[in-house]
Structures are given as structure tokens and as C-alpha cells.
Amino acid sequence: MRQWLRRRVVARIAVGALTVGLSLLAGLAVFSSRSTDRAATTAAATQQVSQQWNEIYLKINLEYELLEDFLDTPNENGSQLLLSSIGSAEGNLRWLTANGVDDDRRQAQTLQNAYGGYTYTLRNLIDAVGDHDDARMLDFAEQAALSASALRRQASANVARNNLAIGVTLRVARDANAKILLAVEVISLADLALVLFCGLVLLTYQRRTERQAADNDYRASHDGLTGLANRRLLGEGIDQAITGADLEGHGVGLLLLDLNRFKEVNDTLGHNSGDLLLIEVARRLRASSRPTDLVARLGGDEFAILLPLIGAAEDLPDIAHRVLTDLCGPAEIGGLAVDITGSIGFAFYPGQSSNAEELLQHADIAMYHAKRNHLGAAPYDAENDRNSFEQLTLLADLRGAIDRDELELHYQPKIRVGGGGVAGVEALVRWRHPSRGLLGPGAFVPDAEQSDLMVPLTEAVLHLALRQQRTWREGGLDLPVAVNIGAACLREPGFPGRIADLLALYGAVDGQLTLEITETVLINDPKAVALALGSIRRQGVRVSIDDFGVGYSSMSYLQSMPLDELKIDRKFTMEIRTTDRGRAIVGAIVELAHALGLSVVVEGVEDQETLTEIGELGCELAQGYLMCRPLPAAEIPGWISAWRPSSPQLAG
């Protein structure tokens, strides 16, 4: 910014200096012109005065010559010529008196008096000649000669004086013009340098503007974080590829890729780590692509690869799986090892898709299908298109389902490992859809989490669970209930207050409601989460960490958060008997939980051997198909009455 301001100031100073220089040149040109004009005017005026004095000299000289001719040969003709010339310089003297400068006026007046005496002498001389008075004639002739000589000297001196003045005027003008010319040359050189500098500045600005325009065009067509093509450039590339395919007879493939659990990385490790992960994904996709392919980032964690030269649709599966293989694997992000995985959908033109818009839409549908069904890579299928449409309408239906009481809860019991008694139940939401039947949470909860429906959905589940708990309590069955809540609920400022209202509405007993949260929630804005959980626990509600071990927990969060229970994810439960590593991990989690004063629930217990193992590891509670699958609320009392623990770990 400072460099830009400095260049701008320098450019403005240069332009200002050039303007001043050109103004000086113009001023000097005007000054020189006026000076020359004044000198020429002065010289012309002086020349005119000098000419008057010169004429006076000539006329006086002519009068004296005519006098000499008359004296040599006195006759009537000579007398007439002499008389006609007498006073011929009077007009010149009057002009000088009227128009001359001070010196010329004074000299003209002085000469005029002497000239008057001279002309008077000449007339007397002519009269003396006519009277044949030789004495007077000689006397007047001598006076005339003296006067003529003096007058000629005076006239000649004034001519010389004016000629000298003309020379001085011209010399002064020449010297002034020489100085002006020198100044003009200096200023012209300075202006030339400034013109060159301004030209260089303009050229620099032009190049910078061109670079800026190119940079703007690049930014408008590329992703700022990864440097990949953006959605706009991808659209242009698809149009060009389809045009080329129509002309040359080959096909066009499109891969759409979405990262798995990217939001969890972003929320857990922070946006900077999320950005580093996206940059690493972009690098891997570039490395896995051909030079003719176009790799693009469409936004968030969604990427695309345009394959402009594909022979047939059958070539796409191998390409998609190769790209997925190159993409997946651990990556070090911010000092932590993160496992990169993704889902790819692919589509082909022509055949499956008839234009660029359909190609994008079909690849998106295929990617969504691959992601929901954990397929890794999946082709476009028209049947999936119909399912995708149904999924899009599902959210709109879910909003109405909450208001129409179409949701219902099934409950899965939790059993005390040491005594076999029922410790409570976990509420699991179901949706009795009018046309699609009973839907499990996997069909709609993931989509609700990505929308604004998660909070109202959770509150609807809490209503149902607390109402059912009150019904059981009124029937003599005190049964603790656990309900899963999402991160969006804890970010909602009024959520703890609404829980308090629900507890009061249904007369809930302290310690009989447990809210289960994922460990990722702890790391996403931990201060706000801690405040919300603290407020909730003060109302007599227990807090449990669900699916522990699959996220990115930190010991500091476990120590600082108000928690009561830790649930070990079924992923680790399945490995307890199959690997030493699985048993060691579960044992370490149990020890950690007990060290922090937390009870432990093991999920996914499906066989007697696993139940025995967790009992030996010190786990307090178990949940899984070995004991009971989720049941409708009406069947829970009967199941509890019929429950008889068959395992020594349950029987105690």
C-alpha cells in the first residue's frame, strides 16, 4: 500500500513538474516574442529618427552646394534653385520636435534656431549678390559656410547617435534572446526528461493495469485458496469440451468429489487446518490428473475433474477409482495426522447427459449417492436421480412432519454390567412417513444436521422422550432416558432455557435425563459449549459424550467440560475380541474415563464374549443387540419385566 502511494505521489509530482516546465516554455516564448517586438519597435522608431537627421544633413549639404554653385556662377537660375532649397529641412526639424525622444527634441530645437539663422544668412547673401555688394556678399558667404559646416556636424552627430542607439537596442535584444534561448534549452531538456519519465510511468501503469486485469481475470476464474479452476471456469471448460466432442466424435467425462468428514476437521482443528487440508487435496488431484484434464474447486470441500478426451463411458470407473486411490490416505495437517477420504460421482457425455447442465447435475447425483451409501465412487444412474429427487423433497416433508407429530421414538435399553439391571434407555427417533413408511434416523437426520431443522427436530424428540418418561413414571416405572443432541442446539442461545421449560412441563426428576453429544461438539467453540452444558447440568440433566474415539478430542476439553458419562463407539467394541490393539484402546479409554470421574457405556455389544471382555475391563454399562434391539415405547415395560440376565457379568 505504501509503495503504491509512493509511486502515485512520484507520478503526480512528475506530471506537475512537466506542467510547470511547459508553462515556463510558453511564458518564455511569449516573453521572447514581446521582447523582440519591443526591440524591433524601438529600432524602427530610432531608425526613423535617424533617417530624419540624415535628411536634414543631406538638405543642409544640398543647400550649401547650391550656394557654392550660385557663388561660382551668379545667375537667375542658380538664384531660384538656391531660394527653393532654403528651409527644406524645416519639416524634418518640426517632425523631430513633435515625435523624437527628449534628446532628439532638444537637438532639433537647438538645430532649428541655428538653421533659422543659416537660412536668414543665405537670403541676405542672395540679396547682396543681387545688389552687387561684394563686401556684404563675402561676409554672408563666410557666415553661411561656417553655419553649414556646424549644422552638418550636428546632423551627422545625431545620425551617428541614433545609429549607435539602434545598435545598442539590437544588442540588448540579442543578449536577452540569447539568455531566453539558454533558458528554453535548459527547460526543454528538463521537460524532455520529464516527458520520458512520465512516459515510463504511464508505461509502468499500463503494464500494471494489464497485469491487474490479467490477475482479476485469473481470480474471477480460479479458486483463491487452491489455485484450481472455479465453478465459472469449469462451466466454460465443459461447454468447450462438449463442442469439441461433437466435432471430433469422442466423449466427455466429469468427476465430482466431496470430502468425508471435512466439517469435522474444520470444527475440530480450525479453519486454518481445513484450508491446509483443501490445499493438500488440490495437490493430490492435480497429480492424479492428465495434462488435458481440468481440476476445479466448486466451493467448500467439493471438487471436480473434467475429462475432455474420453473414448467411452466404460473408461470412467477405472479413472474414478484411480483418482480416489491417489486422494485417500493420511496427511499431516498442522502437526496432526488426518486421514483424507472422499466420495466420487461420475457422469458421461453423450449418452447419459445431453448438455453441460445435465452433465454437472448427473455427476452431482452420482456423488451424493456414493456419499450416502459409502460406495467410494459411483456412476450416474437414473434410479439414483429419482432417489435424489425424493431426498430433496424429504427435508420439506420433515419440516411438516415435526408439526404433524409424524415422529416417534424407539428405545434401546442400557444394562449395568455388574448387576444386570436396566440402567435406562436411549431414545432413537423414527419418522412414520405417510408414503414411504417408517424411516430410520439415517434417512433424514444427516440432512437435518446440514439445515436449520436440527434444533426443532431435537426439541420435538425431547418433547416425546420426556412425555413418554412421565407416562412410564405415572405407571410406576422410573426409567432414565438419553437423547442425542446436535452441535446446532448448543450454539442456540435459548436452548438451555427451553430444556428447563420442558423439564418443568413434564415434571422430570433430577438425573433422569441424559443428553448425548459427540466429542466434536466439545471442540467447536469450547467456551460457549461449556457455558451451555454447565447451565444444562445445573438443571439436573446429565451429559454424555457419544461415539467417543472417532473424533479429535483433547484431554484439556475432557477435563474442563461438565461431563458425567463417556460412550465408547461400536467401532472399538467390534475390535475388542479381534485385535489386541482394540482391547488396549478400550482399556485405555475406560481408565481415562474413570480417572476423570466419568462412567462408561459400551455401544454395539452383540455377543457374550464381548460382554465378558468389557466386564473384565471395568465398564459399568452396556448397550447392544445382545441385550435388546430398539423397541417401540409400548414394548419397553414388557421387555423390562421379562428381562433376565443370562451372563455372569449381568447377573453379578
Side-chain angles (χ1 to χ4, degrees):
M1 183 65 179
R2 290 181 179 177
Q3 187 177 11
W4 177 80
L5 287 173
R6 192 183 308 116
R7 288 174 177 171
R8 188 172 182 181
V9 169
V10 169
R12 290 190 172 184
I13 290 174
V15 172
L18 179 59
T19 303
V20 171
L22 293 175
S23 299
L24 286 175
L25 281 179
L28 287 173
V30 172
F31 178 77
S32 176
S33 175
R34 290 183 177 178
S35 176
T36 303
D37 185 62
R38 284 195 301 272
T41 301
T42 302
T46 306
Q47 180 67 34
Q48 192 173 8
V49 170
S50 178
Q51 184 177 355
Q52 294 295 325
W53 284 112
N54 193 52
E55 288 181 5
I56 291 171
Y57 175 84
L58 292 174
K59 288 177 180 179
I60 292 173
N61 198 51
L62 178 61
E63 288 174 347
Y64 187 74
E65 288 178 357
L66 290 173
L67 172 63
E68 287 182 334
D69 291 342
F70 175 70
L71 291 177
D72 288 341
T73 311
N75 54 52
E76 185 66 23
N77 185 43
S79 174
Q80 290 299 322
L81 288 174
L82 181 57
L83 282 172
S84 63
S85 68
I86 293 174
S88 61
E90 285 289 345
N92 300 100
L93 291 170
R94 284 195 300 272
W95 188 93
L96 288 171
T97 301
N99 300 296
V101 296
D102 292 342
D103 286 346
D104 291 304
R105 283 198 299 271
R106 284 195 302 272
Q107 292 291 333
Q109 288 171 359
T110 301
L111 191 64
Q112 195 169 20
N113 293 332
Y115 185 67
Y118 173 64
T119 57
Y120 178 75
T121 300
L122 290 179
R123 287 189 178 90
N124 287 334
L125 177 60
I126 293 172
D127 290 342
V129 172
D131 294 340
H132 303 287
D133 188 347
D134 293 337
R136 287 179 61 214
M137 182 190 68
L138 290 173
D139 184 46
F140 286 131
E142 186 177 348
Q143 289 182 15
L146 292 173
S147 297
S149 178
L151 290 170
R152 284 199 301 271
R153 282 197 303 274
Q154 284 183 283
S156 178
N158 280 292
V159 169
R161 178 176 59 80
N162 279 281
N163 286 338
L164 180 62
I166 292 172
V168 170
T169 300
L170 294 177
R171 186 169 61 255
V172 169
R174 185 172 61 253
D175 292 344
N177 284 336
K179 293 178 180 178
I180 292 173
L181 180 61
L182 179 61
V184 167
E185 290 175 351
V186 172
I187 295 174
S188 295
L189 289 174
D191 284 349
L192 178 60
L194 288 171
V195 166
L196 293 175
F197 178 74
C198 289
L200 181 62
V201 170
L202 290 174
L203 182 61
T204 301
Y205 271 105
Q206 180 184 1
R207 289 180 177 176
R208 186 176 295 114
T209 302
E210 291 173 352
R211 286 197 301 270
Q212 185 68 38
D215 187 51
N216 290 340
D217 183 65
Y218 180 86
R219 284 202 297 267
S221 59
H222 289 77
D223 175 54
L225 176 65
T226 62
L228 299 178
N230 62 12
R231 187 179 292 272
R232 177 192 126 183
L233 187 58
L234 176 67
E236 294 174 357
I238 293 175
D239 289 336
Q240 293 173 3
I242 287 178
T243 300
D246 292 340
L247 292 174
E248 299 174 15
H250 55 71
V252 177
L254 181 65
L255 311 183
L256 246 60
L257 180 146
D258 188 85
L259 298 180
N260 298 333
R261 299 177 64 189
F262 173 73
K263 185 177 183 300
E264 187 173 331
V265 173
N266 236 4
D267 292 342
T268 304
L269 303 180
H271 290 286
N272 183 59
S273 295
D275 289 346
L276 293 176
L277 178 60
L278 292 174
I279 293 171
E280 173 62 17
V281 169
R283 187 194 67 77
R284 294 185 182 187
L285 292 180
R286 281 197 192 97
S288 184
S289 303
R290 303 171 302 175
T292 55
D293 299 339
L294 178 64
V295 184
R297 180 189 175 205
L298 305 185
D301 61 340
E302 192 173 0
F303 295 82
I305 301 178
L306 174 64
L307 310 166
L309 301 172
I310 297 296
E314 290 75 16
D315 299 333
L316 286 178
D318 290 340
I319 296 174
H321 286 291
R322 175 177 54 80
V323 171
L324 195 61
T325 300
D326 293 341
L327 170 71
C328 295
E332 187 172 320
I333 305 297
L336 296 175
V338 176
D339 192 37
I340 299 178
T341 61
S343 302
I344 293 180
F346 52 91
F348 183 76
Y349 172 92
Q352 294 178 344
S353 310
S354 60
N355 53 48
E357 184 178 356
E358 277 194 359
L359 186 64
L360 265 169
Q361 182 182 0
H362 290 168
D364 187 61
I365 291 169
M367 184 269 291
Y368 187 77
H369 176 69
K371 190 175 185 71
R372 287 191 63 84
N373 295 280
H374 308 288
L375 300 177
Y380 168 74
D381 188 296
E383 182 64 28
N384 296 335
D385 200 345
R386 287 189 290 273
N387 294 338
S388 176
F389 176 77
E390 291 177 357
Q391 198 65 37
L392 288 174
T393 61
L394 195 67
L395 275 178
D397 292 345
L398 179 60
R399 195 179 301 273
I402 295 172
D403 298 330
R404 294 189 298 268
D405 292 330
E406 293 177 359
L407 300 178
E408 59 184 67
L409 300 183
H410 286 195
Y411 298 87
Q412 186 174 29
K414 298 179 185 179
I415 305 301
R416 292 186 180 89
V417 176
V422 178
V425 292
E426 179 182 1
L428 302 170
V429 66
R430 302 288 189 267
W431 177 11
R432 195 162 294 281
H433 194 278
S435 59
R436 298 174 61 182
L438 188 65
L439 301 178
F444 58 92
V445 171
D447 294 317
E449 288 177 336
Q450 303 300 320
S451 69
D452 59 348
L453 285 178
M454 196 58 200
V455 174
L457 176 62
T458 302
E459 292 181 1
V461 171
L462 283 168
H463 269 285
L464 293 173
L466 290 172
R467 185 171 63 190
Q468 182 60 55
Q469 187 183 51
R470 183 181 66 182
T471 301
W472 285 331
R473 187 167 58 249
E474 291 172 348
L477 179 61
D478 289 329
L479 195 60
V481 175
V483 175
N484 291 280
I485 63 171
C489 298
L490 294 179
R491 290 195 296 265
E492 181 75 26
F495 185 70
R498 290 197 289 276
I499 288 181
D501 294 340
L502 289 173
L503 294 173
L505 176 65
Y506 294 109
V509 178
D510 286 355
Q512 294 291 86
L513 174 65
T514 299
L515 298 184
E516 296 186 0
I517 60 175
T518 61
E519 55 183 317
T520 303
V521 175
L522 302 181
I523 301 172
N524 185 16
D525 196 0
K527 290 183 179 180
V529 170
L531 288 174
L533 292 180
S535 175
I536 290 171
R537 286 184 84 233
R538 285 192 292 273
Q539 300 168 26
V541 178
R542 300 176 74 252
V543 178
S544 174
I545 300 180
D546 194 14
D547 299 333
F548 184 82
V550 298
Y552 302 91
S553 278
S554 166
M555 279 292 296
S556 62
Y557 296 139
L558 292 179
Q559 289 177 312
S560 61
M561 292 291 173
L563 304 172
D564 299 283
E565 183 181 87
L566 184 151
K567 296 186 72 174
I568 297 176
D569 184 75
R570 66 183 65 250
K571 171 184 176 182
F572 298 110
T573 307
M574 294 171 61
E575 296 181 0
I576 288 178
R577 292 194 311 105
T578 58
T579 65
D580 293 338
R581 175 177 174 272
R583 178 182 173 85
I585 289 175
V586 173
I589 294 175
V590 171
E591 290 184 11
L592 172 64
H594 290 167
L596 296 173
L598 307 178
S599 59
V600 178
V601 180
V602 180
E603 296 181 297
V605 177
E606 299 184 1
D607 55 65
Q608 190 66 46
E609 291 79 6
T610 301
L611 183 62
T612 302
E613 291 284 351
I614 66 172
E616 293 175 356
L617 292 172
C619 300
E620 293 94 339
L621 303 174
Q623 182 179 352
Y625 288 175
L626 175 63
M627 286 71 72
C628 183
R629 291 176 177 270
L631 298 173
E635 297 180 19
I636 289 295
W639 179 87
I640 293 176
S641 298
W643 165 247
R644 296 290 182 272
S646 58
S647 166
Q649 280 72 29
L650 296 181

